[in-house]
């Protein structure tokens, strides 16, 4: 059962797999984001209450979604590091952190730009906004921790533990709007009820969310390949490929 | 699974579980601090800090918004469909501020029980739709409400 | 066109949001490509040195 898993877990195989996958994902990402953003800006109707300002949703929600999704990916990788000592998982977690941090920042910034005209404030210390800010600090702490430890094995273990502890914050972010009263409104899409967003607006939103998710995979695969080369530059397969000029 | 790995997996599970429980305790202990605002019912029950600034959230009651004096000062009633408190505010209102809409006001109670706000924020709900759809929805809703209940208790809920 | 650009009066909020998103996205892509270029160049240089 674990054979395919072990095969994938080898950095050499993953390097090759990412090489094949990345260009296709990049094309898919361009199509999804192209269509999604076009529909979001030009086709989706004006909102009955928020007018045109609601169009920020097409960049705000995907960033917020990615901030959580990338963290969950890192936490899953950290589990693989702790239990199975998987080198590849450590690499994926390392390259994911800056991407996650940048999208967390984006979620906060676009939220602020949306909050000012609609709520009347750039920032309010409500549970949703605060827990998302804590997520940004966890990302930064994770990167700082990695940068401060030289021993690779210690670095992998310590940062994996931090990532797994921080996972507690994820359900807090998701359910903050239900558990406490907040300025931020409850969920529109990911809830048990049917989405409370009109299909003509939901479609571009889902395209954008999917597009940005694929974008994360493209950047993650690219950076994972670079980090594999950096870490294993002395290994025979890398040297071989370098000598043949097909890195 | 290798027994050593199984042990590690259990350890990770316990660690995350322990942190989650700890976080749960902390969040429960600070529940009232995490709430962004008090409701008009809590204000009426005297649960709010006396003499200090606090936030109160609710719906702007229908037909309650009045411009007074210089035209910049506005008075309205804030309700949670239970209790209602009067609010006075001088300044620019956010675009979404209107009757029936959720709002959070920051300020103090004066000696007459009027909440004097120095900031008014607007809350919006999680619904997004084109205006035509909203209009159609409102029509059917109005018809239904006329049939079933006189007051329309199913207006936007504020926790 | 001007009507579209004005975003119903919310242009100062909508366009910076989209611009910031484009900036963050392109920066991620740029750093990824740059990092790859750097490591590939280094490894190829080392390979050609060891060959001679």
């Amino acid at each position: 059962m674990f054979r395919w898993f072990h095969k994938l877990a080898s950095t050499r195989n993953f390097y090759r797999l990412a090489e094949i996958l990345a260009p296709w994902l990049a094309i898919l990402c361009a199509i999804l984001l192209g269509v999604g953003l076009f529909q979001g800006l030009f086709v989706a109707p004006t909102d009955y209450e928020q007018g045109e300002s609601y169009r920020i949703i097409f960049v705000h929600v995907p960033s917020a979604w990615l901030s959580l999704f990338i963290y969950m990916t890192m936490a899953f990788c950290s589990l693989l590091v702790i239990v199975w000592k998987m080198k590849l998982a450590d690499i994926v977690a390392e390259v994911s952190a800056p991407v996650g941090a940048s999208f967390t920042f984006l979620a906060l910034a676009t939220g602020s730009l949306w909050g000012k005209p609609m709520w009347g404030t750039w920032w309010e210390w409500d549970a949703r906004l605060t827990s998302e800010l804590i997520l940004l600090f966890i990302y930064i702490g994770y990167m700082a921790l990695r940068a401060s430890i030289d021993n690779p094995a210690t670095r992998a273990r310590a940062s994996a533990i931090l990532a797994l502890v921080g996972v507690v914050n994820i359900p807090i972010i998701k359910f903050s709007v239900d558990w406490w009263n907040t300025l931020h409104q409850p969920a529109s899409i990911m809830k048990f009820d049917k989405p409370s967003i009109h299909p003509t607006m939901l479609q571009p939103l889902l395209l954008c969310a999917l597009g940005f998710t694929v974008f994360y995979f493209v950047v993650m695969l690219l950076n994972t390949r670079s980090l594999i080369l950096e870490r294993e530059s002395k290994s025979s397969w890398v040297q071989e490929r370098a000598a043949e000029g097909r890195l | 699974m290798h027994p050593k790995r199984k042990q590690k997996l259990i350890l990770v599970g316990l660690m995350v579980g322990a942190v989650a429980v700890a976080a749960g305790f902390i969040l429960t202990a600070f529940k009232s601090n995490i709430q962004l605002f008090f409701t008009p019912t809590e204000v009426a029950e005297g649960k709010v800090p006396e003499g200090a600034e606090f936030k109160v959230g609710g719906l702007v009651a229908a037909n309650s918004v009045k411009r007074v004096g210089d035209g910049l000062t506005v008075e309205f009633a804030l309700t949670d469909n239970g209790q209602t408190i009067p609010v006075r505010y001088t300044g620019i209102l956010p675009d979404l501020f209107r009757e029936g809409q959720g709002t959070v006001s920051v300020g103090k109670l004066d000696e007459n029980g009027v909440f004097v706000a120095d900031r008014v924020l607007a809350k919006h709900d999680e619904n997004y739709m084109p205006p035509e759809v909203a209009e159609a929805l409102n029509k059917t809703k109005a018809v239904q409400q006329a049939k079933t209940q006189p007051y329309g208790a199913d207006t936007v809920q504020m926790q | 066109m001007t009507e579209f650009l004005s975003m119903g009066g919310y242009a100062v909020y909508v366009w910076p949001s989209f611009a910031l998103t484009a900036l963050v996205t392109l920066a991620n892509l740029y750093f990824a490509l740059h990092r790859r270029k750097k490591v590939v160049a280094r490894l190829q240089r080392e390979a050609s040195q060891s060959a001679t």
Side-chain angles (χ1 to χ4, degrees), chain A residues 48 119 124 181-182 188 198, chain B residues 35-36 122-123 126 128-129:
Chain A
Y48 76 121
W119 297 341
E124 198 58 46
N181 60 44
T182 51
S188 294
H198 197 264
Chain B
Q35 303 286 6
L36 184 71
K123 252 178 88 82
E126 68 277 28
Y128 300 89
M129 58 187 124

Side-chain angles (χ1 to χ4, degrees), chain B residues 3-145:
Chain B
K4 207 173 169 188
R5 283 179 191 150
K6 202 169 185 174
Q7 202 185 1
K8 275 188 181 166
L9 195 61
I10 293 167
L11 241 103
V12 169
L14 282 175
M15 182 188 73
V16 174
V19 175
V21 169
F25 281 146
I26 294 170
L27 293 177
T28 319
F30 287 97
K31 188 163 172 55
S32 57
N33 297 59
I34 300 169
Q35 303 286 6
L36 184 71
F37 51 80
F38 293 94
T39 60
T41 303
E42 285 168 328
V43 176
E45 286 167 356
K47 284 183 182 163
V48 296
E50 223 167 294
E53 192 169 79
F54 64 94
K55 300 189 186 81
V56 59
L59 297 170
V60 181
N63 307 318
S64 74
V65 181
K66 279 194 303 267
R67 298 261 165 199
V68 286
D70 49 7
L72 256 180
T73 300
V74 66
E75 283 181 353
F76 59 92
L78 199 63
T79 177
D80 55 5
N81 292 329
Q83 295 285 337
T84 301
I85 61 164
V87 179
R88 188 180 325 118
Y89 170 69
T90 307
I92 300 156
L93 291 163
D95 294 4
L96 277 184
F97 181 89
R98 59 187 80 132
E99 289 172 354
Q101 193 79 33
T103 179
V104 176
S105 303
V106 191
K108 277 182 195 173
L109 277 176
D110 72 359
E111 59 276 15
N112 303 321
V114 175
F115 188 83
V116 182
D118 41 51
R119 276 198 308 148
V120 169
L121 309 174
K123 252 178 88 82
H124 61 79
D125 58 29
E126 68 277 28
N127 300 311
Y128 300 89
M129 58 187 124
E132 311 86 64
V133 177
E135 212 170 284
L137 251 156
N138 266 336
K139 264 185 205 156
T140 46
K141 216 178 189 177
V143 172
Q144 274 172 358
Q145 272 176 17

Side-chain angles (χ1 to χ4, degrees), chain C residues 30-44:
Chain C
Y30 170 78
F31 286 123
L33 293 172
H34 181 73
R35 186 176 189 176
R36 166 144 182 91
K37 217 168 122 185
K38 223 170 79 183
V39 69
V40 167
R42 177 172 71 90
L43 288 174
Q44 253 154 12

Side-chain angles (χ1 to χ4, degrees), chain A residues 114-127:
Chain A
W114 195 0
K116 184 60 186 168
M118 288 301 108
W119 297 341
T121 181
W122 298 104
W123 181 263
E124 198 58 46
W125 292 102
D126 91 339

Side-chain angles (χ1 to χ4, degrees), chain C residues 4-38:
Chain C
F4 169 73
L5 284 177
S6 79
M7 276 287 148
Y10 294 116
V12 286
Y13 304 106
V14 175
W15 295 121
S17 297
F18 279 80
L20 210 56
T21 307
L23 191 74
V24 167
T25 309
L26 293 177
N28 271 308
L29 195 63
Y30 170 78
F31 286 123
L33 293 172
H34 181 73
R35 186 176 189 176
R36 166 144 182 91
K37 217 168 122 185
K38 223 170 79 183

